[in-house]
Amino acid sequence: MARPRLHDDALRTRLLDVTSRVISSDGESAVTVRKVAGAAGTSASAVYALFGSREALVESVSDEGFRRFAEHLTAVGQSDDPGADLRALGGAYRRFALADPHFYRVMFYRAVSPTSGDPASAIEGPTFRVLYDAVARAVHGAPPEHVLSAAVGLWGLVHGLVSLELAGLLPGDEHERAAAFEHAAGRVGPALLGR
């Protein structure tokens, strides 16, 4: 009979969620193995068994955030309408940020780089590649530097709108904020594509 796994994926996910909340609210320096373990209802040895070190735990939070983000973006898929696909990607970006604000803040505000390395390499990562490819389809035949510029501009637009919403700076209820996001993205997005 096999030994039961004491430290399973559910515990790993719980530790990542707790750590993302600590980093989001108090900064990376506030993360201690004991604090995270206690908040997750487990032992420090479980954290070490699953992650190896405090540093690996912190890096894993960013990796998990980008993994979840990638799931949202790739779920959009691809249709025959590149413009609709770009709007859908913007919506997926917003939904991810609102569903996992702690991970979002860790990924983009606390400068906790994923284990893949340099934060400046974000435009080389798989999540940016989804956007880049969608932009390339929308501006078919445009030179790569135009595609890159448009993709970075769209990312900045959506990121800025989402950041304002998460900071509580967009007025209204959920429906009104969603409408404001759609309206702003719909007005500015085409200009960023050069249309």
Side-chain angles (χ1 to χ4, degrees), residues 13-169:
T13 298
R14 193 164 66 245
L15 287 165
L16 291 172
D17 285 337
V18 166
T19 305
S20 76
R21 290 176 188 277
V22 171
I23 295 171
S24 177
S25 65
D26 303 325
E28 183 181 340
S29 62
V31 174
T32 67
V33 170
R34 184 177 300 199
K35 179 178 188 175
V36 168
T42 191
S43 65
S45 63
V47 176
Y48 288 115
L50 287 166
F51 297 98
S53 68
R54 175 205 172 274
E55 292 72 23
L57 169 65
V58 169
E59 290 173 349
S60 294
V61 170
S62 188
D63 288 339
E64 176 66 9
F66 278 102
R67 185 194 66 74
R68 291 180 185 193
F69 184 42
E71 280 183 359
H72 276 78
L73 296 181
T74 56
V76 168
Q78 192 176 82
S79 73
D80 292 335
D81 183 348
D85 292 347
L86 283 171
R87 288 188 297 278
L89 283 173
Y93 191 109
R94 180 176 178 269
R95 283 189 301 279
F96 164 74
L98 297 179
D100 280 320
H102 301 291
F103 281 101
Y104 183 83
R105 287 184 184 106
V106 169
M107 291 162 54
F108 295 115
Y109 296 113
R110 293 293 184 181
V112 178
S113 303
T115 54
S116 56
D118 181 5
S121 70
I123 62 168
E124 298 169 7
T127 53
F128 184 78
R129 192 72 206 182
V130 171
L131 173 60
Y132 181 92
D133 291 345
V135 169
R137 287 182 57 241
V139 294
H140 183 70
E145 59 273 8
H146 177 83
V147 175
L148 178 61
S149 176
V152 169
L154 288 171
W155 179 21
L157 169 64
V158 171
H159 181 78
L161 291 169
V162 166
S163 297
L164 289 170
E165 185 169 2
L166 286 176
L169 298 174

Side-chain angles (χ1 to χ4, degrees), residues 168-182:
L169 298 174
L170 289 184
D173 60 19
E174 163 59 23
H175 177 73
E176 292 167 319
R177 290 190 305 272
F181 176 90
E182 291 288 328

